[in-house]
């Protein structure tokens, strides 16, 4: 079964700093990859997704992620964060063909200090 | 994007009672629905996967007699927590997936905060 690891569960940074959240997955076949965000008191929302094609994916709110197949990674980046980016971020993976289960990482709690 | 509505958003119940949570896909027919449980400061734990008209597939360690899932239609799935106990207090999230041109995308409900007193 597929699994996802996210490191550095708690991240604290100042506004305008750059953010990078690591995501590594394990699965033998092709996968679809997602980053979700959960703002305080709100439900999960899709930030961006990768299915195929250009491995550099751009999402909403200035976020982007790069799929590096050789490293089984799908790291999330934002060049300059804002206070409103304070949230929990989850990486998720689902096999392109197969068990239809979306597996989540443990999440990164990001706090942006004004 | 597609909308998934989950109801209720919060519920408080007495120990020993049962609670039903509804998950509806409002503007699409969901091929599969998933139920997750989220513990504080932890990731979403998949509890079960359900397909319309068939029995749910439960993850290891999840009691199927305690967490009853009914997937009556392509737009509605329900999770019933039977004989709830305080340790069942948690945040429950449903997800509905839609297959589009060979890939699957999941959409999430807003979650239900269950407190058992």
């Amino acid at each position: 079964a597929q699994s996802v690891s996210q490191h550095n569960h708690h991240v604290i940074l100042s506004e305008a700093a750059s953010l990078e959240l690591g995501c590594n997955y394990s699965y033998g076949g092709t996968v679809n990859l997602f980053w979700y965000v959960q703002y305080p008191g709100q439900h999960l929302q899709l930030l961006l997704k990768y299915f195929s094609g250009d491995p550099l994916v751009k999402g909403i709110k200035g976020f982007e992620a790069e799929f590096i197949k050789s490293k089984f990674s799908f790291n999330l980046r934002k060049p300059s964060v804002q206070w409103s980016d304070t949230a929990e971020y989850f990486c998720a993976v689902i096999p392109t063909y197969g068990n239809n289960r979306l597996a989540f990482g443990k999440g990164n709690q990001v706090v942006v200090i004004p | 994007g597609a909308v998934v509505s989950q109801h209720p958003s919060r519920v408080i119940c007495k120990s020993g009672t049962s609670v039903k949570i509804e998950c509806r896909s409002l503007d699409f027919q969901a091929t599969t629905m998933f139920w997750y449980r989220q513990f504080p400061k932890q990731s979403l734990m998949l509890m079960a996967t359900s397909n319309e008209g068939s029995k749910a597939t439960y993850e290891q360690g999840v009691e199927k007699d305690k967490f009853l899932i009914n997937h009556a239609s392509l737009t509605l799935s329900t999770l019933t927590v039977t004989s709830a106990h305080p340790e069942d207090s948690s945040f429950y999230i449903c997800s509905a997936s839609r297959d589009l041109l060979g890939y699957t995308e999941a959409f999430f409900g807003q979650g239900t905060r269950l407190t058992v007193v």
Side-chain angles (χ1 to χ4, degrees):
Chain A
Q2 63 276 26
S3 65
V4 179
S5 354
Q6 288 179 248
H7 311 292
N8 303 323
H9 182 69
H10 294 282
V11 177
I12 301 174
L13 58 169
S14 300
E15 274 192 319
S18 65
L19 171 69
E20 178 158 1
L21 301 176
C23 172
N24 289 89
Y25 69 93
S26 67
Y27 186 71
T30 58
V31 295
N32 299 333
L33 296 150
F34 307 82
W35 274 96
Y36 288 90
V37 60
Q38 190 173 27
Y39 297 105
Q42 296 188 29
H43 64 281
L44 279 167
Q45 300 172 42
L46 182 66
L47 260 185
L48 48 76
K49 61 194 179 199
Y50 171 81
F51 290 130
S52 63
D54 189 344
L56 184 62
V57 178
K58 294 192 184 297
I60 60 171
K61 305 188 181 185
F63 285 91
E64 65 178 31
E66 184 175 13
F67 171 51
I68 302 179
K69 190 175 180 180
S70 60
K71 294 184 178 180
F72 297 89
S73 69
F74 189 55
N75 294 353
L76 180 71
R77 296 192 291 256
K78 184 169 183 177
S80 175
V81 294
Q82 301 172 313
W83 173 78
S84 57
D85 293 321
T86 295
E88 188 143 19
Y89 294 82
F90 294 95
C91 181
V93 61
I94 190 169
T96 306
Y97 310 101
N99 63 36
N100 206 27
R101 285 190 182 86
L102 191 60
F104 284 85
K106 291 190 175 180
N108 296 105
Q109 181 66 58
V110 174
V111 175
V112 180
I113 301 170
Chain B
V3 178
V4 174
S5 173
Q6 193 173 333
H7 178 80
S9 57
R10 292 178 185 272
V11 59
I12 301 172
C13 70
K14 289 185 178 179
S15 187
T17 62
S18 295
V19 174
K20 181 186 282 189
I21 303 170
E22 287 190 352
C23 179
R24 293 180 185 272
S25 56
L26 296 186
D27 51 2
F28 69 100
Q29 292 184 326
T31 49
T32 309
M33 286 190 172
F34 303 86
W35 287 95
Y36 295 85
R37 184 173 178 178
Q38 186 178 26
F39 293 97
K41 299 184 180 181
Q42 293 192 32
S43 185
L44 284 75
M45 182 193 79
L46 179 63
M47 298 174 67
T49 303
S50 73
N51 293 292
E52 184 261 342
S54 61
K55 289 184 179 180
T57 302
Y58 289 81
E59 296 298 302
Q60 194 172 9
V62 178
E63 298 176 61
K64 61 181 180 181
D65 294 329
K66 181 162 189 64
F67 298 100
L68 299 178
I69 291 172
N70 183 276
H71 196 154
S73 74
L74 284 170
T75 58
L76 173 65
S77 176
T78 60
L79 168 68
T80 302
V81 183
T82 62
S83 187
H85 291 287
E87 57 265 30
D88 298 324
S89 298
S90 191
F91 195 58
Y92 293 87
I93 302 173
C94 76
S95 166
S97 71
R98 180 175 66 177
D99 290 334
L100 290 172
L101 300 175
Y103 61 83
T104 300
E105 188 164 351
F107 303 92
F108 291 84
Q110 63 269 47
T112 298
R113 172 74 60 195
L114 170 63
T115 304
V116 185
V117 297

